[in-house]
Amino acid sequence: MKEEKKIVLVSGASRGIGAAIARALAAAGYDIWLNYATSDAAAEKVAMDIRDLGRDCRLLKFDVADSAAVAAVLEPLLNMEVPWGLVHNAGITRDGLMAMMSDGDWQRVLDVHLNGFFYLSRSVVRAMLSARRGRIVAVASVSGETGQAGQTNYAAAKGGMIAAAKSLAREVARRDILVNVVAPGLIDTEMINDLPLEEMLKMVPLARTGTTEEVSGVVEFLLGGAAGYITGQVIGVNGGLYM
Ligand code: NAP
């Protein structure tokens, strides 16, 4: 599908949606810089799958919410190679009603999603600006579009990420760098294990959860040649939950 070697940095790719994205992109011919925070064995397994597909995989263990760690790991690499793509996927939830929410649960969710978007994008987009090309995809959430009771922290972080992605899209379009958002609904990963799914699925027109592959396919599309005229968009992958 492509002539030159293309690298994509995927954050939070040891499990769930990120692992599916990394595998799908490797199968499509991209080399992967695979970020994760703690799950060493799971990340190694994804890396092995990628290498079995004949692609390179570099494991990058750091907390996306740690500005110094992001710079320390990425800057030396970016001096040597410029990734074609960056996928912001790392994420956590710390759900609870706002009236009961601790400072820590508010702050940590903002730090991982919103500050993580800023730290990673700032480093990578500088390199992309010099290369005059690139694709950035942020994995947000339907919660960031509609709001969600019990998720004020998460919805604020994801809504902020959508606004930041649209703003960045406007800043970098002239250098042929495209920035888009994928906003999943209920996707079958560990993240939704504790949710009251039976109740929640009543609100989903397709009446089922989505698969990680149904998200990774859209991310792959946004990184590919057919998406060259798409920027600043939010693509819902939500079974019709939000239209
Ligand atoms: P998941 O199964 O819980 O996996 C989360 C991934 O993020 C793991 O690889 C984890 O790494 C990584 N991660 C967490 N905190 C990190 C940090 N500070 N720095 C670097 N990596 C970190 O979650 P998921 O369901 O696949 O979610 C992936 C993304 O989709 C998230 O942004 C989430 O908000 C979004 N999303 C999910 C759903 C859903 O229904 N599942 C819906 C909408 C949006 P370790 O394993 O090393 O901790």
Side-chain angles (χ1 to χ4, degrees), residues 11-19 34-40 42-43 60-66 88-93 108 111-113 139-143 154 158 161 182-192 195 210 212 215 237:
S11 75
S14 55
R15 298 182 281 118
I17 293 170
L34 191 160
N35 161 258
Y36 68 105
T38 57
S39 303
D40 296 309
L60 305 177
K61 181 177 181 176
F62 60 81
D63 175 357
V64 297
D66 181 339
H88 290 281
N89 169 81
I92 58 165
T93 49
R108 182 63 187 159
D111 282 348
V112 171
H113 296 275
V139 180
S141 166
V142 68
S143 295
Y154 184 78
K158 293 300 200 184
M161 190 187 238
V182 173
L186 290 166
I187 307 300
D188 194 12
T189 72
E190 286 172 37
M191 187 173 271
I192 64 167
L195 296 179
T212 56
V215 181
V237 184

Side-chain angles (χ1 to χ4, degrees), residues 9 33 35 60 62 68-81 83 86 119-124:
L9 165 55
W33 288 359
N35 161 258
L60 305 177
F62 60 81
V70 171
V73 174
L74 288 187
E75 295 306 331
L77 295 175
L78 292 168
N79 285 333
M80 295 186 295
E81 292 179 295
L86 164 62
Y119 300 141
L120 281 181
S121 294
R122 181 176 54 182
S123 284
V124 173

Side-chain angles (χ1 to χ4, degrees), residues 122-169:
R122 181 176 54 182
S123 284
V124 173
V125 92
R126 283 179 185 147
M128 287 179 171
L129 284 167
S130 301
R132 293 179 170 271
R133 48 93 182 137
R135 302 282 174 91
I136 297 176
V137 178
V139 180
S141 166
V142 68
S143 295
E145 299 177 290
T146 64
Q148 179 63 41
Q151 290 197 319
T152 51
N153 51 357
Y154 184 78
K158 293 300 200 184
M161 190 187 238
I162 290 170
K166 289 183 179 181
S167 304
L168 182 61

